[in-house]
């Protein structure tokens, strides 16, 4: 690696250039400079000023300019881009294992190793049974019923995970990021310790993510979480899943699609709290049609082990016997035993690291991104936060993560795609809204005879005509929503949606062909009219 410093200072039309090899006089705060670092055949430039201790300047006082604890999606993204800005970067992570613990983790983090990626692979596996059923209406027949082999699925999944963690390690190496394998612990504001060795860091990034939690109750040690569900030695014939969030529903769909009898226990009267109300009702109805049994208004009180090794889930309303009991009742920031308290980093009551708009903690040299901050716990959001952090510290471009109109998906069967405001939140925010909805049988099921439907919903700010929310449940919804999220983020109007020619025949064309509102809500107008009438009455 070679390094040179180019110092530029405006003196009329004269540009003064010195190299780092020359002894330059002290720079004034108004003097700007660039640090050039040659890496992988590319010349990388970082800009700074003569002001004391510019945030991203290269500092030989420390071993590294940035050390990240946790090599998940956010940590890897921040580390790689910080290195591209010319920073000396290291990242620490525990050794690879499919199930996380205090001693194991793996480069790639939750999403790659025990979250989004392996879950989606199992979603694909479970969807084939539906395709087999659909194919008969199109003339396909089978001499014998297809048989699924769980061990083959899990074995192939684990091979893919090992490949992916290797890819992530390669990306770090190519970016000149040093990988420190082991548990990282913060010693002081500028020091971390890994396997007994200490490293000085100008900046420390905490990107350790979260971990599944199980509430304490009799027999809670007998249950599994999403970690274990992705790596079971055999598929259960019957499973009880506790929880009504997206993780619970996704695993319910996976196991049901693979032939398991599935019972889902939800403390609330509906699934997916925080999602649009009509989507919540629709997906529960669709999953029920496919054989998932929901137990609403039931909370677990105990888990009992039976003599035949089966388990009994005891709830406030009764009990259910099954091979396996899974809890998907939440995740908690993985902040224990990191040394955060000893250096005074503020944590929330839930254990999340508190940060400002730039992901900086109350300790100036310590930053945090991703699920450990419990802001918006989605992998693409952690990636965005990591990029913003690298720009802020090392790119001389202070950047706040933008959390507006972030699309998301729930990979149930059928899946959900969503972006923007729910109807309930839109009423609170805008007052006057127009709501467009459509429920229909997609073309694929017209011959299969299956009872599934697709639901589409658009929410429009009536004052500006801007589309502020889209919600969809049906085959292909996540893929469709990624594209439409760009339109919503860009602030397109319903008129612009209507002027777009649809692609026929597709389910997606429904989003540009709905012309008549299902309902018009005029909360703001009604309130304004009431105030006018009140004013007239008071002056009469």
């Amino acid at each position: 690696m070679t390094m040179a410093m180019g110092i530029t200072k405006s003196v009329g039309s004269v540009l003064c250039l010195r190299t780092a090899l020359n002894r330059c006089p002290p720079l004034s705060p108004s003097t700007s400079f660039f640090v050039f670092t040659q890496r992988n055949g590319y010349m990388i430039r970082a800009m700074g000023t003569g002001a004391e201790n510019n945030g991203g300047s290269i500092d030989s006082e420390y071993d590294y300019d940035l050390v990240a604890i946790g090599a998940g999606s956010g940590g890897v993204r921040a580390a790689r881009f910080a290195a591209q800005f010319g920073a000396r970067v290291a990242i620490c992570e525990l050794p690879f294992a499919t199930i996380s613990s205090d001693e194991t983790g793996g480069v790639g983090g939750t999403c790659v190793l025990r979250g989004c990626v392996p879950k989606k692979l199992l979603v694909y596996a479970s969807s084939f049974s539906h395709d087999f059923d659909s194919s008969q209406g199109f003339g396909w027949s089978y001499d014998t019923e297809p048989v699924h082999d769980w061990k083959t699925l899990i074995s192939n999944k684990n091979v893919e995970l090992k490949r992916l963690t290797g890819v992530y390690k390669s990306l770090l190496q190519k970016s000149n990021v040093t990988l420190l394998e082991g548990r990282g612990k913060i010693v002081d504001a500028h020091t971390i310790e890994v396997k007994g060795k200490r490293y000085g860091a100008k900046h420390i990034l905490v990107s350790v993510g979260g971990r599944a939690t199980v509430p304490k109750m009799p027999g809670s040690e007998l249950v599994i979480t999403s970690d274990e569900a992705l790596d079971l030695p055999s598929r259960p014939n019957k499973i009880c899943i506790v929880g009504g969030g997206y993780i619970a529903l996704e695993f319910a769909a996976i196991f049901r699609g693979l032939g398991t009898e599935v019972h889902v226990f939800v403390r609330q009267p509906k699934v997916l709290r925080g999602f649009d109300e009509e989507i919540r009702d629709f997906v529960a109805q669709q999953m029920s049609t496919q054989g998932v049994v929901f137990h609403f208004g039931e909370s677990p009180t105990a888990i009992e082990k039976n003599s035949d090794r089966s388990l009994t889930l005891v709830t406030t309303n009764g009990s259910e016997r099954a091979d396996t009991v899974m809890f998907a009742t939440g995740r908690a920031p993985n902040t224990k035993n990191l040394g955060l308290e000893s250096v005074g980093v503020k944590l929330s009551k839930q254990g999340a690291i508190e940060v400002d708009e730039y992901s900086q903690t109350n300790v100036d040299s310590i930053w945090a991104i991703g699920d450990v901050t419990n802001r918006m716990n989605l992998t693409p959001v952690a990636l965005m936060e990591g990029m913003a952090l690298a720009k802020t510290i090392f790119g001389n471009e202070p950047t706040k993560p933008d959390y507006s109109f972030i699309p998301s998906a729930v990979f149930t069967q059928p899946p959900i795609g969503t972006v923007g405001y729910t109807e309930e939140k839109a009423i609170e925010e805008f007052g006057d809204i127009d709501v467009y909805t459509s429920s229909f049988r997609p073309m694929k099921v017209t011959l299969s005879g299956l009872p599934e439907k697709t639901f589409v919903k658009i929410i429009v700010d009536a004052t500006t005509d801007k589309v502020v929310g889209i919600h969809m449940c049906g085959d292909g919804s996540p893929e469709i929503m990624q594209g439409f999220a760009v339109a919503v983020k860009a602030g397109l109007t319903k008129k612009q949606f209507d002027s777009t020619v649809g692609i026929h025949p597709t389910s997606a064309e429904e989003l540009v062909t709905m012309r008549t509102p299902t309902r018009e809500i005029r909360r703001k107008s009604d309130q304004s009219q009431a105030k006018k009438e009140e004013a007239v009455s008071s002056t009469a």
Side-chain angles (χ1 to χ4, degrees), residues 430-511:
F430 305 105
D432 295 354
I433 65 170
D434 295 330
V435 179
Y436 299 78
T437 64
S438 177
S439 179
F440 58 92
R441 294 185 72 201
M443 178 179 285
K444 188 176 180 179
V445 305
T446 56
L447 296 188
S448 71
L450 299 179
E452 64 190 76
K453 288 186 174 182
T454 292
F455 176 78
V456 179
K457 182 173 187 175
I458 295 178
I459 300 167
V460 179
D461 175 7
T463 303
T464 63
D465 195 44
K466 286 185 178 181
V467 176
V468 296
I470 304 178
H471 310 276
M472 183 174 183
C473 183
D475 191 34
S477 294
E479 301 287 351
I480 293 169
M481 199 56 58
Q482 180 64 83
F484 276 92
V486 178
V488 176
K489 180 76 171 179
L492 266 61
T493 64
K494 183 63 169 62
K495 184 177 180 181
Q496 289 170 313
F497 270 56
D498 294 343
S499 68
T500 302
V501 176
I503 299 173
H504 183 75
T506 64
S507 294
E509 67 179 310
E510 199 75 12
L511 289 164

Side-chain angles (χ1 to χ4, degrees), residues 22 57 122 147 154 161 167 186 215 244 302 309 317 344 395 415 506 530 534:
N22 296 329
S57 62
L122 266 63
V147 177
I154 298 303
L161 297 190
V167 169
I186 298 174
R309 296 188 177 180
N317 286 7
T506 64
E534 184 179 348

Side-chain angles (χ1 to χ4, degrees), residues 295-343:
H295 302 255
F296 291 106
E298 290 194 45
S299 298
T301 57
I303 302 92
E304 300 171 350
K305 190 170 185 177
N306 305 310
S307 58
D308 62 355
R309 296 188 177 180
S310 67
L311 301 175
T312 297
L313 175 66
V314 182
T315 73
T316 50
N317 286 7
S319 63
E320 192 71 37
R321 194 165 178 154
D323 303 316
T324 305
V325 175
M326 174 182 169
F327 270 55
T329 50
R331 297 177 64 85
N334 195 18
T335 50
K336 292 182 179 179
N337 302 318
L338 287 178
L340 294 167
E341 296 88 347
S342 64
V343 293

Side-chain angles (χ1 to χ4, degrees), residues 194-216:
V194 182
K195 289 185 176 179
K197 186 174 180 179
R198 295 189 174 187
Y199 302 89
K202 186 171 186 181
H203 300 278
I204 295 172
L205 170 63
V206 183
S207 49
V208 294
R211 186 176 292 182
T213 59
V214 176
K216 294 294 183 183

Side-chain angles (χ1 to χ4, degrees), residues 5 48 383:
M5 178 180 290
L383 294 173

Side-chain angles (χ1 to χ4, degrees), residues 51-67:
E52 178 65 20
N53 201 19
N54 184 53
S57 62
I58 307 302
D59 198 326
S60 61
E61 179 184 348
Y62 305 102
D63 298 305
Y64 297 100
D65 301 300
L66 175 70
V67 174

Side-chain angles (χ1 to χ4, degrees), residues 105-146:
V107 175
T110 297
C111 176
V112 174
L113 303 179
R114 58 195 68 89
C116 325
V117 172
K119 172 201 69 182
K120 188 69 178 292
L121 293 175
L122 266 63
V123 168
Y124 284 136
S126 66
S127 67
F128 282 101
S129 62
H130 178 268
D131 291 337
F132 293 144
D133 291 340
S134 298
S135 69
Q136 296 178 27
F138 292 87
W140 288 94
S141 61
Y142 308 93
D143 293 334
T144 59
E145 285 295 316

